[in-house]
Amino acid sequence: MTASAPTTLGTGTRAYRWARKNLFRTWLDALLTLFFGGFALYIVVTFLQFVFVTGRWGIIDVNLRLLLVGRWPADELSVIAVAVVVLGLWVGLIAGIVHGRQIRRETSAVASMSMSQRVSDLVRRFGLIFGTVLLLLVLTDTTGPWLMAGATIVAGVGGRILGGIASQMAVPHWFARGALLMMAAVPFALFFFLTGTVPLADWEGFYFNITSAIAGIILCFPLGVLLALARRSKLRLLQGLSVAYIEFVRGAPLFVLLLMANVSLEFFVPASLAPSKTIRAIVVFTIFTGAYLAEIVRGGLQSVPRGQEEAAKSLGLSPTKQMGLIVLPQALRNVIPAQIGQLISLFKDTTLAGLALGILDLLSAAQAITQQEGFRGQGLIVETLVFVGFLFWVGSFTMSRESQRLERKLGVGTR
Amino acid sequence: MTTESQIFADATKTVGEPIIEMERVDKFFGAFQALEGINLKVGRQEVVVVIGPSGSGKSTLIRCINRLEEHDNGRIIVDGIELSGDVRNIQEIRRETGMVFQQFNLFPHLSVIDNVTLAPRQVRRMPKKEAEDQAMEILERVRIPEQARKYPGQLSGGQQQRVAIARSLAMKPKVMLFDEPTSALDPEMINEVLDVMKDLALEGMTMIVVTHEMGFAREVADRVVFMADGQIVEVGTPEHFFTDPQEDRTKLFLSQIL
Amino acid sequence: MRVLSWAFQLLVFAVVAAIFFWLWGNFTRNTEASGIPTNFDFLSNPATFSIPGADFSPNEPVRNAYIVGVLNTLRVSVVGSILATILGTLIGIGRLSRNWVVSRLSAVYVELFRNIPLLVLLTFVFLGVVLQVMPSIEVSWNPLDWFVVSNRGIGVPWYDGVTGWSLSLVFTIGVVSWWMIARWRQSVFERTGRPSHAGLLGGSFFVLTLIVGWIVLGGAVSLPAVDGRQIVGGIRIDPSFFAILLALVIYTASHIAEIVRGSIQAVPKGQGEAAAALALTGFQRMWKVILPQAMRIAIPPLGNQYLNLIKNSSLGAGFSYFDITNVTQITVGNGSPAVPAFFLALVFYVVISLITSALVNVANRRFELVER
């Protein structure tokens, strides 16, 4: 019944046949393979040599805290640790609840996996981040961060189990709603907890890049949705305002907007209200990203088939309910990957705040430390920038891969 | 002395010289075997209709003949040229075989006349005037000369499929392969395409047709090939095949669709 | 219902207007109190700063500095867009290559540069490569004796001894003859079906015309050389221009590569199969069937990338490239009023963006498929 493996088209071992097909199909192919293979080999060897032999990583080791959290007082670092652990618990809880819901609706992708498969799936998806965190932990010389990491893992796993159990329990409706609200309040509570210790104006380092990107993307969300709805509405005046805003902001470079916020905001806002540089940066991020998000959401609204709105209409729903219950939820679901894309781009763009406003973000800190006594004039900028680039790369790459995964899962673009 | 109907009941024999020969052809998609030990010869001017349940390998069979799929074992010879990895052989065979797809696959950025003249001008190096005259002639044969300057997007499904047939005919092929040519059409358009195909058969074109149109098979086919699970289960003349099938699988299939 | 919706609109409009007037009121009050002008008279004041690499003296009015800035922004944007398109297209096609090494290498390029902030890349190129790897002017590299590479600039051979008018005449002759040859070859192709080779023949004739015309006119080559701490002769590429251009091209190419790959893959598979079944060669399939359709899909996102590139070029201001953003920053630092000065820069960017999107729309319509 079963025929043997292919024989007539190519002989020799599998590896030979693979190479013949993928590397040396034609003479031109062979030439390309040799040329680019050599080039790649050279780059890889040079890079590995730089990382493991010639690179002088002492500057990173010494300045690790400055790079990550700026001038956050050393004796207040425990506050961040507490926040991270709580965040771990929170993420675990959400993952557990979401998973529980997926099992109930039989849409879970991991329900059929064994424990070891789940762990390896997690490692494949987030291994880069775990590895990077581990690397940073190794570079520290105190036990605090290790304790924090351990506690976060415990909290995360615990939250995941708790969430799984909670999602299986039958609870009254009002209770579930209340719990959900409380969950939604956690990030804000954490924010006030952190600003209570160190004011927002002093948030620096990689910590600034991460938090300001998250703040920007959360704050711009209502703005973006409202702008998108206004642009689609039949109300001419609203439409005009929205179009003007979107086109103007999208036409302006973020860098110039940040520069303007730096030098000309005082003229428009009373001195008592003029905010700190960090807040200015976040406000500009919000204004800027809102315009882009509006266009994303508009695309999402267009992607919802007309029949959905007509069906809602035929059920006798009011226009507001047609939009709020039927169209908008589908639209927002469809644009999640694009929203993640926007988050990635904002995450990378937070570096502009350093240059434009003089905030000591990760990139500015990396430049500043090369001017320190003992490090000056040694060309250490290469080492520090590779480190900075690596941290940003790990974050963006992981997020973009997750968004592609989600895109496949949602089936967007496969229609 | 074997009768013609006996010859048609044997996939490895043809009346006269064969133009397509497939010997022990296997095709794998990963671990899945799509074709298994296919032996089939097609004579000149013969019309072969391939039927079978979906996933039985019918499309894969004809897609192997012009190398849209690469077969893994066995030999395929078209008009004396064996299909191998050699690009020149592949090109030569593709020049001799036309193919019509389920989804038409017309080039949407080119007008009808440009769709039809593209290959003759690019591959056969035909002068523009000559190619266009020939194209108009063929469009007349498929009964849509008036649509020549339109774009595919402006035509109905049936018209598009007839343009696709014209596009293949413009290369003056010796063999025409039809991959479910009417499956994507609205019912009222099926006949206009089948009529064109019948004309072609009457003119003596060698054709291999994958289809679910049993009426067409009965009326036009010289021989019907029934496939299941990547194998040829039964072969015969239409009257034999539809009135007196031998194999249980064939009987089951026919009982389901007729 | 109608009344209600109008009332709602007016309310929203009133709120927006109120915020606007509040801001405007603050602005006029604050500027009056501190005596800062709110008009554009500062454009006529002397600039009081010089722009290296440009024919600009500090006595000229600020207006002229703006013009230099605009031209510099346009220069880096146009050159950058062209180079990024070429590199991005090559890499995008490379990702689809059957050659494993080529496709892997392209994928690594895309994933690497797409996920690093442009500013990190730019800082690396400027501080890490240009200022560190490139030698100082005293020990500059002179590959082939035709180039000068140093951290004060890169010298490249340039034409010399030919006046602008005669050169543009030769250029025009070259272009016209290229066009005529292309027409002639096209008609031969239509008459006989022989391959036209229009690009090859016309292009080489064009180059030939340029060389011959230039020799006849007594042109010479000016080679760059180091004179003291200066690069003389040839044409000098400013290090900051080089850095911002390189970073923009590397970064934007990674995005364009993804667009190119995505658009080619978005062309239905059946198109390539139909072309193959008609015995078109691989090149003909790509050139006549796939690319024209992929182009249509690629135009809107490509336009977005060009817009991004123009806006991203403002980062050059942080690395002493004298684009419009930098000129604005400097003139504000030298006492020009901040709000009108930045307003001008913003208007410039917005106008450029609107023009670019209008062009993209035109191109889009041009490539639109005819449907029922």
Side-chain angles (χ1 to χ4, degrees):
Chain A
M1 270 304 278
T2 50
S4 57
T7 51
T8 52
L9 304 165
T11 50
T13 62
R14 262 178 95 127
Y16 172 80
R17 266 186 285 123
W18 182 88
R20 192 66 218 264
K21 191 171 167 193
N22 294 299
L23 299 177
F24 305 104
R25 191 181 273 263
T26 62
W27 275 107
L28 184 70
D29 248 358
L31 223 66
L32 284 175
T33 301
L34 289 181
F35 179 75
F36 283 109
F39 176 70
L41 208 66
Y42 172 76
I43 297 275
V44 167
V45 168
T46 313
F47 185 72
L48 287 180
Q49 222 170 22
F50 172 72
V51 171
F52 292 108
V53 185
T54 56
R56 296 152 292 175
W57 301 105
I59 186 170
I60 304 288
D61 205 6
V62 173
N63 290 295
L64 193 61
R65 208 180 82 211
L66 193 65
L67 288 168
L68 293 184
V69 294
R71 287 164 291 188
W72 192 287
D75 43 349
E76 302 285 2
L77 279 172
S78 55
V79 177
I80 294 183
V82 170
V84 170
V85 173
V86 172
L87 210 60
L89 180 71
W90 186 71
V91 170
L93 269 173
I94 288 183
I97 292 170
V98 167
H99 185 233
R101 265 169 57 119
Q102 283 176 342
I103 287 180
R104 267 212 312 277
R105 298 176 175 184
E106 299 179 346
T107 56
S108 170
V110 294
S112 57
M113 289 186 188
S114 71
M115 201 60 198
S116 64
Q117 275 174 325
R118 276 188 214 181
V119 168
S120 78
D121 177 57
L122 217 58
V123 167
R124 236 194 346 269
R125 286 163 59 191
F126 301 105
L128 264 172
I129 288 186
F130 294 149
T132 309
V133 170
L134 202 64
L135 175 76
L136 296 179
L137 286 176
V138 169
L139 287 177
T140 58
D141 42 10
T142 51
T143 48
W146 285 97
L147 285 177
M148 175 186 82
T152 310
I153 291 175
V154 171
V157 172
R160 170 73 177 71
I161 295 168
L162 260 175
I165 296 170
S167 69
Q168 303 301 323
M169 283 193 309
V171 289
H173 195 63
W174 60 266
F175 185 81
R177 244 189 206 191
L180 214 66
L181 267 178
M182 269 175 60
M183 291 290 287
V186 165
F188 296 95
L190 278 181
F191 175 79
F192 289 115
F193 173 61
L194 288 165
T195 47
T197 318
V198 174
L200 198 56
D202 295 334
W203 288 17
E204 292 169 340
F206 199 33
Y207 182 72
F208 164 80
N209 296 99
I210 295 173
T211 48
S212 64
I214 293 173
I217 206 82
I218 292 176
L219 293 176
C220 83
F221 196 76
L223 178 67
V225 172
L226 283 180
L227 281 169
L229 291 178
R231 186 159 187 176
R232 237 174 87 102
S233 82
K234 292 185 200 78
L235 311 177
R236 293 272 157 221
L237 212 55
L238 278 186
Q239 210 187 7
L241 280 175
S242 160
V243 169
Y245 177 91
I246 292 171
E247 291 305 323
F248 186 79
V249 172
R250 275 164 35 104
L254 177 60
F255 186 54
V256 176
L257 291 179
L258 286 166
L259 286 175
M260 282 185 79
N262 195 24
V263 294
S264 50
L265 197 67
E266 282 86 350
F267 295 113
F268 293 102
V269 181
S272 58
L273 281 177
S276 71
K277 285 177 174 177
T278 315
I279 294 179
R280 284 181 198 202
I282 292 176
V283 168
V284 174
F285 291 155
T286 306
I287 289 173
F288 183 76
T289 311
Y292 286 83
L293 194 73
E295 287 298 274
I296 292 174
V297 173
R298 187 166 75 112
L301 288 171
Q302 279 169 351
S303 77
V304 177
R306 264 210 101 62
Q308 292 294 318
E309 203 181 326
E310 287 164 2
K313 218 176 269 179
S314 71
L315 288 174
L317 295 182
S318 70
T320 330
K321 281 190 175 161
Q322 285 167 26
M323 183 52 80
L325 293 178
I326 309 295
V327 180
L328 198 58
Q330 296 187 51
L332 292 183
R333 200 188 74 124
N334 285 349
V335 298
I336 291 175
Q339 285 169 1
I340 297 179
Q342 205 54 55
L343 173 61
I344 295 171
S345 128
L346 180 58
F347 175 54
K348 293 189 292 175
D349 279 344
T350 53
T351 49
L352 303 195
L355 185 59
L357 293 163
I359 295 170
L360 194 74
D361 79 320
L362 176 59
L363 179 57
S364 316
Q367 276 173 266
I369 58 176
T370 60
Q371 302 304 319
Q372 283 169 338
E373 202 65 50
F375 292 127
R376 204 180 304 142
Q378 298 176 23
L380 288 166
I381 190 80
V382 177
E383 276 85 351
T384 60
L385 285 182
V386 166
F387 178 74
V388 170
F390 176 71
L391 287 191
F392 275 106
W393 183 81
V394 167
S396 310
F397 180 69
T398 305
M399 279 193 281
S400 82
R401 226 176 24 182
E402 278 302 296
S403 103
Q404 283 163 9
R405 215 177 88 94
L406 217 62
E407 205 167 343
R408 278 196 299 276
K409 220 167 113 187
L410 291 171
V412 185
T414 54
R415 278 168 304 156
Chain B
M1 187 69 197
T2 47
T3 64
E4 227 171 64
S5 85
Q6 274 170 319
I7 291 177
F8 282 132
D10 185 343
T12 61
K13 292 207 175 91
T14 55
V15 180
E17 184 82 353
I19 188 165
I20 295 174
E21 299 166 70
M22 301 177 87
E23 280 172 29
R24 297 191 313 281
V25 171
D26 292 328
K27 167 71 191 168
F28 294 85
F29 291 113
F32 174 73
Q33 187 160 10
L35 293 181
E36 199 176 327
I38 296 290
N39 287 304
L40 178 66
K41 285 190 181 146
V42 179
R44 285 181 201 277
Q45 307 209 331
E46 194 180 323
V47 176
V48 175
V49 170
V50 185
I51 62 173
S54 58
S56 59
K58 303 172 306 235
S59 290
T60 311
L61 175 86
I62 65 168
R63 286 162 64 88
C64 279
I65 294 173
N66 66 350
R67 235 331 143 95
L68 290 186
E69 306 288 355
E70 194 174 319
H71 60 289
D72 294 311
N73 292 315
R75 297 184 348 136
I76 299 177
I77 299 169
V78 181
D79 201 21
I81 308 159
E82 175 165 4
L83 264 181
S84 61
D86 192 333
V87 182
R88 269 167 306 179
N89 279 359
I90 297 174
Q91 287 301 90
E92 205 163 321
I93 287 174
R94 282 176 178 169
R95 277 199 292 268
E96 307 302 334
T97 51
M99 188 170 212
V100 176
F101 299 85
Q102 181 178 357
Q103 299 295 342
F104 328 137
N105 293 346
L106 290 179
F107 306 131
H109 60 296
L110 299 178
S111 66
V112 166
I113 190 103
D114 288 343
N115 263 282
V116 180
T117 56
L118 178 72
R121 292 183 64 196
Q122 295 294 332
V123 179
R124 296 241 191 260
R125 296 285 169 211
M126 205 184 265
K128 186 181 181 191
K129 182 84 177 46
E130 198 185 321
E132 288 190 347
D133 289 347
Q134 181 205 302
M136 286 312 294
E137 217 170 277
I138 297 171
L139 286 174
E140 220 137 310
R141 256 165 78 195
V142 300
R143 297 165 202 153
I144 36 173
E146 70 283 358
Q147 312 286 4
R149 299 287 156 192
K150 288 198 182 159
Y151 282 83
Q154 298 169 293
L155 305 182
S156 73
Q159 290 171 325
Q160 289 195 46
Q161 193 61 297
R162 283 185 284 154
V163 172
I165 294 174
R167 180 176 67 177
S168 295
L169 289 179
M171 285 293 282
K172 303 226 167 71
K174 293 180 178 156
V175 181
M176 285 285 286
L177 308 171
F178 290 85
D179 188 3
E180 305 203 21
T182 55
S183 298
L185 294 177
D186 291 335
E188 75 271 19
M189 293 169 184
I190 290 176
N191 277 331
E192 62 188 61
V193 172
L194 290 181
D195 287 346
V196 167
M197 289 167 63
K198 280 175 204 165
D199 289 353
L200 263 182
L202 288 177
E203 287 163 23
M205 175 65 77
T206 311
M207 294 164 60
I208 303 183
V209 184
V210 174
T211 188
H212 297 296
E213 295 295 325
M214 294 304 147
F216 178 82
R218 241 188 253 263
E219 193 180 332
V220 183
D222 294 312
R223 123 160 68 178
V224 179
V225 173
F226 175 67
M227 286 186 71
D229 297 330
Q231 292 171 310
I232 293 181
V233 176
E234 187 166 356
V235 182
T237 57
E239 63 251 51
H240 242 94
F241 187 84
F242 288 109
T243 53
D244 183 23
Q246 303 297 309
E247 303 286 332
D248 290 342
R249 295 246 14 200
T250 320
K251 288 175 192 162
L252 180 68
F253 178 73
L254 289 175
S255 74
Q256 281 165 341
I257 59 161
L258 289 179
Chain C
M1 201 57 215
R2 251 195 114 77
V3 179
L4 216 69
S5 86
W6 271 105
F8 176 66
Q9 284 196 76
L10 281 178
L11 184 74
V12 173
F13 191 73
V15 170
V16 173
I19 294 173
F20 190 77
F21 278 115
W22 180 69
L23 292 174
W24 186 251
N26 284 336
F27 174 61
T28 43
R29 215 171 320 114
N30 284 333
T31 45
E32 250 166 53
S34 48
I36 295 169
T38 56
N39 52 28
F40 294 103
D41 292 347
F42 71 95
L43 286 174
S44 309
N45 298 344
T48 69
F49 59 90
S50 62
I51 298 179
D55 190 14
F56 181 82
S57 80
N59 301 328
E60 288 183 53
V62 173
R63 185 181 300 113
N64 293 5
Y66 264 100
I67 292 171
V68 174
V70 166
L71 290 179
N72 275 342
T73 293
L74 292 180
R75 181 145 51 120
V76 77
S77 304
V78 171
V79 178
S81 296
I82 294 170
L83 294 181
T85 307
I86 296 171
L87 184 63
T89 308
L90 288 179
I91 291 170
I93 293 177
R95 253 195 113 165
L96 295 169
S97 165
R98 274 191 309 213
N99 186 311
W100 186 82
V101 172
V102 172
S103 73
R104 283 288 85 196
L105 208 60
S106 311
V108 167
Y109 177 95
V110 168
E111 290 302 348
L112 179 63
F113 290 113
R114 215 165 53 131
N115 290 312
I116 289 180
L118 173 61
L119 191 58
V120 172
L121 192 63
L122 178 55
T123 315
F124 187 85
V125 171
F126 191 74
L127 297 182
V129 176
V130 172
L131 294 190
Q132 246 181 62
V133 177
M134 287 192 182
S136 70
I137 188 95
E138 290 86 0
V139 288
S140 64
W141 301 331
N142 307 329
L144 302 171
D145 279 341
W146 277 43
F147 299 91
V148 174
V149 178
S150 78
N151 59 16
R152 301 273 317 253
I154 299 167
V156 176
W158 205 242
Y159 70 87
D160 197 11
V162 185
T163 60
W165 278 113
S166 47
L167 192 75
S168 35
L169 185 72
V170 172
F171 192 81
T172 315
I173 292 173
V175 169
V176 169
S177 47
W178 187 342
W179 181 71
M180 274 162 51
I181 288 175
R183 288 272 311 247
W184 167 59
R185 292 305 311 175
Q186 181 65 25
S187 79
V188 167
F189 169 62
E190 287 180 2
R191 265 203 327 275
T192 66
R194 278 207 298 276
S196 70
H197 299 310
L200 195 70
L201 285 172
S204 28
F205 196 81
F206 171 73
V207 173
L208 208 72
T209 315
L210 282 196
I211 293 172
V212 169
W214 177 57
I215 290 171
V216 168
L217 291 169
V221 180
S222 148
L223 292 178
V226 179
D227 178 21
R229 296 184 51 79
Q230 292 271 334
I231 296 176
V232 293
I235 197 163
R236 194 182 76 96
I237 298 171
D238 198 63
S240 49
F241 175 77
F242 177 74
I244 179 74
L245 182 70
L246 190 63
L248 279 177
V249 168
I250 290 175
Y251 182 78
T252 312
S254 73
H255 287 84
I256 290 182
E258 272 303 88
I259 293 171
V260 170
R261 177 181 75 105
S263 324
I264 290 178
Q265 283 181 335
V267 176
K269 221 173 129 225
Q271 292 290 316
E273 290 182 348
L278 288 168
L280 296 183
T281 63
F283 180 76
Q284 289 169 334
R285 260 178 289 187
M286 200 65 185
W287 193 246
K288 296 277 173 192
V289 176
I290 310 281
L291 277 186
Q293 298 185 57
M295 197 119 101
R296 177 178 58 88
I297 303 168
I299 283 175
L302 268 186
N304 261 337
Q305 285 311 315
Y306 298 141
L307 282 179
N308 283 343
L309 189 143
I310 296 169
K311 288 183 281 175
N312 284 336
S313 73
S314 62
L315 289 182
F319 299 85
S320 58
Y321 181 63
F322 281 82
D323 74 331
I324 181 159
T325 306
N326 203 3
V327 167
T328 310
Q329 255 185 305
I330 293 175
T331 192
V332 168
N334 283 2
S336 293
V339 175
F342 270 107
F343 181 75
L344 271 186
L346 263 193
V347 166
F348 164 76
Y349 281 111
V350 171
V351 167
I352 284 283
S353 294
L354 291 179
I355 291 174
T356 311
S357 3
L359 288 177
V360 168
N361 280 339
V362 169
N364 215 1
R365 217 158 303 140
R366 174 102 176 54
F367 278 91
E368 212 165 15
L369 288 182
V370 184
E371 299 278 349
R372 256 200 283 202

